[in-house]
Amino acid sequence: MAMTPHVLIVAGSDSSGGAGIVRDVETVSGFGLRCCLAVTAATVQTHARVERIEQMPPELVAEQMRAAFAANPVAAVKIGMLGTAATIDAVASALASSLPVPVVLDPVLASTSGRHLLDDDAIDALKGKLFPLCTLVTPNLPELALLTGLPLATDEAEIVRQSERLFDTGAPAILVKGGHATGANATDLLLLPGREPIRFDASRIAVSMRGTGCMLASAIAAHLAQYETLEISIGKAKRYVFAKLLASRP
């Protein structure tokens, strides 16, 4: 059991089961891998709103991570909700002593209902301390706007311009998710410095599902843990999420 590749999930809990650690674990398990955990926060929420958030002490988060690395063959890391600058510092410290390992960061800034899940003063810490340690950062369009301090991007050229600002922080690769855009297709753009965007298209499905960002990032991490390339991992993860959305239609 211990020799099975593990994905370390660093994220918050969701009492509704719609997002967060529950989504991460079920996604990684679906690819035959095991998970280990570092819980960053406990939340009280329904599918409609977040009612309460209790942050874990930052050093406790780091200790969970170090114990997970010591106990298991961690082949990839998926990071979700972090909450505070102090937690970001702790996670970055634990990661820096455990690299190299692929790291996928889903920059969770707010809940679907609009509740802030990352302190405003923590965005600079996220970009400056954690982005350079990651393999891939996966913002959606509203998150990209918040990370860059710019208006919501409305076309590919603006997405590229905004992403270039994040490259300046040390992010090596950015996957901008198109779920919040419009049109018949939901197109995700993989952006790498000095290269043309790589597009991942899927038909837009008229269905609402929470936790799709968690699912996508965790699926990418699961494939990276099995030594797939970044581009192949994203393509397979995109198809996985598309199939889940398709299956959820009435």
Side-chain angles (χ1 to χ4, degrees):
M1 182 181 298
M3 293 306 295
T4 303
H6 283 56
V7 176
L8 170 56
I9 307 296
V10 183
S13 70
D14 175 351
S15 53
S16 74
I21 287 173
V22 172
R23 284 290 196 196
D24 296 328
V25 171
E26 69 183 16
T27 299
V28 171
S29 299
F31 295 106
L33 278 67
R34 293 183 57 81
C35 294
C36 41
L37 303 175
V39 182
T40 61
T43 71
V44 178
Q45 57 182 303
T46 65
H47 294 306
R49 65 184 184 275
V50 179
E51 298 175 354
R52 181 177 176 183
I53 300 172
E54 290 290 337
Q55 298 289 155
M56 294 293 174
E59 185 52 35
L60 178 59
V61 176
E63 288 178 7
Q64 291 177 79
M65 292 178 65
R66 289 191 285 267
F69 278 113
N72 304 300
V74 175
V77 178
K78 185 268 178 177
I79 302 175
M81 176 184 174
L82 294 171
T84 68
T87 298
I88 291 168
D89 288 346
V91 169
S93 176
L95 267 185
S97 62
S98 302
L99 296 175
V101 62
V103 178
V104 180
L105 170 63
D106 180 16
V108 178
L109 306 182
S111 67
T112 302
S113 61
R115 173 74 176 263
H116 282 267
L117 300 178
L118 182 70
D119 292 347
D120 290 339
D121 63 359
I123 290 179
D124 285 343
L126 187 73
K127 294 187 292 185
K129 296 183 178 180
L130 208 49
F131 277 21
L133 302 177
C134 293
T135 305
L136 179 69
V137 182
T138 65
N140 57 33
L141 289 172
E143 289 163 346
L144 182 64
L146 286 170
L147 288 167
T148 57
L150 296 171
L152 193 74
T154 57
D155 57 33
E156 184 174 311
E158 183 58 28
I159 290 172
V160 172
R161 282 194 292 272
Q162 291 189 11
S163 297
E164 286 173 348
R165 290 200 173 195
L166 299 187
F167 290 139
D168 292 340
T169 69
I174 301 166
L175 181 70
V176 182
K177 298 172 290 190
H180 287 76
T182 58
N185 288 334
T187 300
D188 298 347
L189 291 178
L190 173 60
L191 301 162
L192 301 134
R195 290 180 55 182
E196 289 295 312
I198 301 171
R199 297 168 184 81
F200 298 87
D201 290 313
S203 299
R204 192 175 299 278
I205 302 173
V207 66
S208 178
M209 177 185 286
R210 293 180 56 234
T212 53
C214 303
M215 292 165 58
L216 182 69
S218 295
I220 294 169
H223 285 295
L224 290 173
Q226 298 176 85
Y227 306 105
E228 300 278 12
T229 67
L230 182 59
E231 188 172 341
I232 289 174
S233 295
I234 293 170
K236 289 183 175 181
K238 175 85 170 177
R239 291 191 290 273
Y240 172 85
V241 175
F242 178 80
K244 289 291 186 182
L245 288 168
L246 200 61
S248 73
R249 293 194 305 180

